[in-house]
Amino acid sequence: MNFRPEKSADFAAIRAVHVASFPTPLEANLVEALRNAGRLSVSLVAEIDDEIVGHVAFSPVTTASGTVGSGLAPVAVVANHRRKGVAASLITAGLMTVKQAGFDWAVVLGEPSYYSRFGFRPAIEFGLRDEYGGGPAFQAMELQAGAMPTDAGLVRYAPEFALVE
């Protein structure tokens, strides 16, 4: 398995991974909208035998005070490669890449029991909340010690999250 940044030649395969992984093309449309707006901070693919089998995206998120972090979404793996650690490896590689890109903290809106393995904790513990009412599913993690904005309130995702259909 190989993990690498996306290339323009990968765009159709990335779309196909998301379309095959979700009930609607919403996530595929989101990735394209983020890319077109220049807000796809990190976009990694997983390849097996030169075939793209997974994708993870990160885009900027902002607190009311203007502190910028990174939001993980979406992540997808084609059905015949699920439950083999592809998504977990993509997420781990993505978090390392986001940190190297200069982001000090990250958020995700997802299953707490899954994302806690990467170090995500309920965002409310940091005084953060999301605009989608995610409750315990909205989680945050520091990528640099002491860098998490605390009691910063609402964390907003890139505007493309509200625009895609």
Side-chain angles (χ1 to χ4, degrees):
M1 194 168 9
N2 178 44
F3 302 99
R4 62 168 175 79
E6 71 170 22
K7 298 184 276 194
S8 58
D10 301 330
F11 293 172
I14 290 168
R15 180 172 182 82
V17 166
H18 287 284
V19 167
S21 299
F22 295 100
T24 71
L26 179 69
E27 285 80 3
N29 295 346
L30 173 61
V31 170
E32 290 173 354
L34 289 166
R35 184 184 297 120
N36 292 338
R39 289 190 186 90
L40 199 54
S41 305
V42 170
S43 179
L44 299 180
V45 296
E47 288 180 312
I48 296 176
D49 297 327
D50 295 322
E51 176 189 353
I52 293 175
V53 299
H55 176 255
V56 66
F58 290 83
S59 58
V61 295
T62 310
T63 65
S65 65
T67 305
V68 178
S70 188
L72 186 172
V75 61
V77 175
V78 294
N80 60 333
H81 289 285
R82 289 187 195 143
R83 300 211 173 293
K84 298 178 182 177
V86 176
S89 295
L90 265 173
I91 291 166
T92 299
L95 289 167
M96 288 181 5
T97 304
V98 164
K99 181 178 178 178
Q100 291 168 350
F103 291 93
D104 294 333
W105 55 279
V107 295
V108 68
L109 188 57
E111 178 57 46
S113 63
Y114 181 77
Y115 287 99
S116 65
R117 73 174 81 178
F118 304 102
F120 284 98
R121 297 180 7 221
I124 197 70
E125 290 181 14
F126 301 104
L128 302 174
R129 58 185 170 79
D130 67 297
E131 58 195 312
Y132 301 107
F138 184 58
Q139 300 155 80
M141 71 178 291
E142 284 186 322
L143 300 172
Q144 291 287 352
M148 179 68 72
T150 55
D151 298 319
L154 184 66
V155 175
R156 292 197 180 278
Y157 281 80
E160 289 73 23
F161 279 80
L163 299 175
V164 295
E165 296 178 7

